[in-house]
Amino acid sequence: MTLHCFPEPIEAAIAQWRAESPEPICAYIYDLQALERHVRWMREALPDGCELYYAAKANPEAPLLRTLAPWVHGFEAASGGELRWLHERQSGHPLLFGGPGKLDSELALAASLPACTLHVESLGELARLAAIADLSDKQVPVFLRMNIAVPGISDTRLMMGGKPTPFGMDEGDLPQAVAMLRRHPRLRLEGFHFHLMSHQKDARMQLDLVRAYLDVVHRWNATYGLDVGMVNAGGGFGVDYAEPASSFDWLQFCQGLRGVLREHARGLRLRFEPGRYVSVTCGWYVMEVIDVKRSHGEYFAVARGGTHHFRTPPAQGHDHPFRILRGAHPPAIENERVTLVGQLCTPKDVLARAQPVQALAPGDCLLFPLAGAYAWNISHQNFLMHPAPRMVFLEANARAASPAWPSVVA
Ligand SMILES: *Cc1c(COP(=O)(O)O)cnc(C)c1O
């Protein structure tokens, strides 16, 4: 399995904690310099005129937002809670507000913010927003989120569009939506939004989708007499946890995008709002092994923490990749397969099953990479009342170079 090398500052932090306290280690460590390098790399590859937003749902920790802020055009909020959080921390940046089930109070908040664009998910939501906008003293920028079938692509497993979902509107809703927009001049239709695919690892297929979005928006502009100028093509760029170098090829995508824009943009501009692909590589979850035991012929390593901190392995249904940082003890097992579990009293608390290890003992640390997105914030943290992990943010200037799947992809 190809993985990052150890980022040495993470080893250094662990060594320091070991010297400070005998308590077994359990921590999230975020490498903000790696994050900055990655987002700069993404931004620099993106063709001119395309915008990059960060979907805060992937990881809304304030130091990450602060690190990303200079390199992104803005942030996407998928709930009223995220909208408030982003507004408090990144009030100077444009915000996007999407997601189903928005409350009237949240629509009103979004409509009142100086630079917030609303992604409207249904005709009902558009009607509620229109009533709010009628009372507003300013224009409210709106994108309609559309759920369309894209020929040749709609049947793939990861496709969320072109079939029944709670997200976005059907194309058949458009005449009514356009009529409603005309009756409520405070609403300003600025774009269409598409987020039809998640875990997309195929850059060429993503280019086909973008091409289809641009073409359909031109068709809608012509059919309904609109002058929409912007297409939000969503996020969903995929990460291969087992083989990070096989993740979505951002450079190939950006390269292809130039051709797509040349032939299909005809004045339309593109915006992206990825989450996972931006922040996943910056985070590490670290657990210290408490016990190594044998049960009915199989080995288990029980480590401090578990899936109540790091739900990513069960959420993805995978064995999470890991590295071992050996401690001072002689090996309890050598050249065996071992299942890595946490402290929860449920057999579901498994981070990786039957993994080959050269040597392992209590006191060793398990380092799980690719824990910077959909990790801590998707975990059921209060289950069993274990304490939270230590949260550590390694500042950008505190260290030298680090691993990097981005440059591997490059
Ligand atoms: C979750 C979400 C994103 C981000 O998805 P990633 O897979 O993290 O890139 C972007 N847009 C919308 C509408 C989403 O729901």
Side-chain angles (χ1 to χ4, degrees), residues 203-216:
R204 208 160 283 140
M205 191 192 295
Q206 194 66 21
L207 289 168
D208 289 343
L209 281 172
V210 171
R211 200 178 288 120
Y213 301 158
L214 292 170
D215 290 349
V216 79

Side-chain angles (χ1 to χ4, degrees), residues 126-192:
L126 187 60
R128 289 192 292 124
L129 179 62
I132 289 163
D134 284 347
L135 306 174
S136 165
D137 52 8
K138 71 177 192 59
Q139 294 265 293
V140 178
V142 165
F143 278 43
L144 298 179
R145 179 171 179 180
M146 304 304 296
N147 174 355
I148 56 167
V150 178
I153 300 181
S154 298
D155 37 1
T156 60
R157 191 172 57 83
L158 302 169
M159 191 72 181
M160 303 191 292
K163 56 189 174 198
T165 75
F167 313 116
M169 300 184 195
D170 290 2
E171 187 165 355
D173 293 336
L174 260 186
Q176 239 181 302
V178 169
M180 215 185 299
L181 288 161
R182 295 224 159 95
R183 287 198 302 273
H184 298 276
R186 284 282 183 226
L187 296 178
R188 191 175 63 228
L189 181 64
E190 293 192 344
F192 287 99

Side-chain angles (χ1 to χ4, degrees), residues 54-59 76-78 98-100 119 121 145 160 167 193-200 232-238 272-279 373-374:
Y54 173 61
K57 176 178 92 204
N59 188 334
E76 190 253 358
H119 295 168
E121 302 266 352
R145 179 171 179 180
M160 303 191 292
F167 313 116
H193 174 277
F194 305 87
H195 177 72
L196 296 186
M197 194 97 182
S198 65
H199 297 288
Q200 169 70 278
N232 184 326
F237 309 124
F272 299 96
E273 49 175 25
R276 186 188 309 271
Y277 197 82
V278 175
S279 56
Y374 303 104

Side-chain angles (χ1 to χ4, degrees), residues 10-352:
I10 287 169
E11 285 189 57
I14 293 170
Q16 194 186 330
W17 297 336
R18 278 185 163 141
E20 284 167 10
S21 161
E23 269 293 281
I25 291 166
C26 177
Y28 269 96
I29 308 181
Y30 297 100
D31 184 339
L32 299 179
Q33 176 165 310
L35 179 65
E36 182 173 17
R37 282 179 34 188
H38 186 67
V39 71
R40 285 183 65 169
W41 170 80
M42 287 184 73
R43 184 63 196 279
E44 280 159 16
L46 200 60
D48 289 345
C50 294
E51 296 183 357
L52 183 67
Y53 280 66
Y54 173 61
K57 176 178 92 204
N59 188 334
E61 296 285 349
L64 272 69
L65 300 179
R66 188 164 27 77
T67 305
L68 293 172
W71 306 104
V72 294
H73 290 84
F75 295 92
E76 190 253 358
S79 74
E82 283 186 0
L83 183 65
R84 271 182 286 271
W85 174 266
L86 288 168
H87 176 62
E88 280 161 21
R89 278 153 195 84
Q90 296 297 332
S91 56
H93 274 70
L95 301 179
L96 314 176
F97 181 32
K102 299 181 192 77
L103 308 180
D104 283 356
S105 55
E106 295 167 341
L107 292 172
L109 170 67
S112 74
L113 295 178
C116 181
T117 299
L118 285 105
H119 295 168
V120 175
E121 302 266 352
S122 72
L123 287 173
E125 189 172 279
L126 187 60
R128 289 192 292 124
L129 179 62
I132 289 163
D134 284 347
L135 306 174
S136 165
D137 52 8
K138 71 177 192 59
Q139 294 265 293
V140 178
V142 165
F143 278 43
L144 298 179
R145 179 171 179 180
M146 304 304 296
N147 174 355
I148 56 167
V150 178
I153 300 181
S154 298
D155 37 1
T156 60
R157 191 172 57 83
L158 302 169
M159 191 72 181
M160 303 191 292
K163 56 189 174 198
T165 75
F167 313 116
M169 300 184 195
D170 290 2
E171 187 165 355
D173 293 336
L174 260 186
Q176 239 181 302
V178 169
M180 215 185 299
L181 288 161
R182 295 224 159 95
R183 287 198 302 273
H184 298 276
R186 284 282 183 226
L187 296 178
R188 191 175 63 228
L189 181 64
E190 293 192 344
F192 287 99
H193 174 277
F194 305 87
H195 177 72
L196 296 186
M197 194 97 182
S198 65
H199 297 288
Q200 169 70 278
K201 287 190 218 157
D202 185 336
R204 208 160 283 140
M205 191 192 295
Q206 194 66 21
L207 289 168
D208 289 343
L209 281 172
V210 171
R211 200 178 288 120
Y213 301 158
L214 292 170
D215 290 349
V216 79
V217 170
H218 278 300
R219 179 157 63 74
W220 291 337
N221 268 344
T223 306
Y224 299 103
L226 305 171
D227 62 349
V228 160
M230 179 73 87
V231 173
N232 184 326
F237 309 124
V239 170
D240 190 321
Y241 286 85
E243 290 289 349
S246 304
S247 299
F248 185 80
D249 190 335
W250 179 252
L251 294 185
Q252 184 197 349
F253 177 68
C254 289
Q255 198 56 40
L257 207 48
R258 290 168 211 283
V260 169
L261 287 169
R262 246 190 328 270
E263 283 164 33
H264 298 260
R266 292 186 282 137
L268 290 176
R269 288 193 304 133
L270 270 179
R271 173 180 288 172
F272 299 96
E273 49 175 25
R276 186 188 309 271
Y277 197 82
V278 175
S279 56
V280 73
T281 49
C282 79
W284 296 70
Y285 180 56
V286 180
M287 308 166 83
E288 185 168 327
V289 176
I290 299 166
D291 195 8
V292 177
K293 62 184 281 187
R294 197 176 149 113
S295 171
H296 292 269
E298 292 186 14
Y299 286 103
F300 289 81
V302 185
R304 180 163 193 195
T307 53
H308 55 305
H309 296 163
F310 185 45
R311 197 170 72 83
T312 314
Q316 292 292 324
H318 69 200
D319 293 317
H320 206 89
F322 66 99
R323 297 293 290 266
I324 295 169
L325 187 60
R326 289 274 291 129
H329 297 287
I333 54 175
E334 284 181 288
N335 300 316
E336 296 284 356
R337 285 186 176 268
V338 60
T339 293
L340 309 179
V341 302
Q343 297 172 285
L344 300 184
C345 299
T346 157
K348 293 184 177 168
D349 189 20
V350 175
L351 295 99

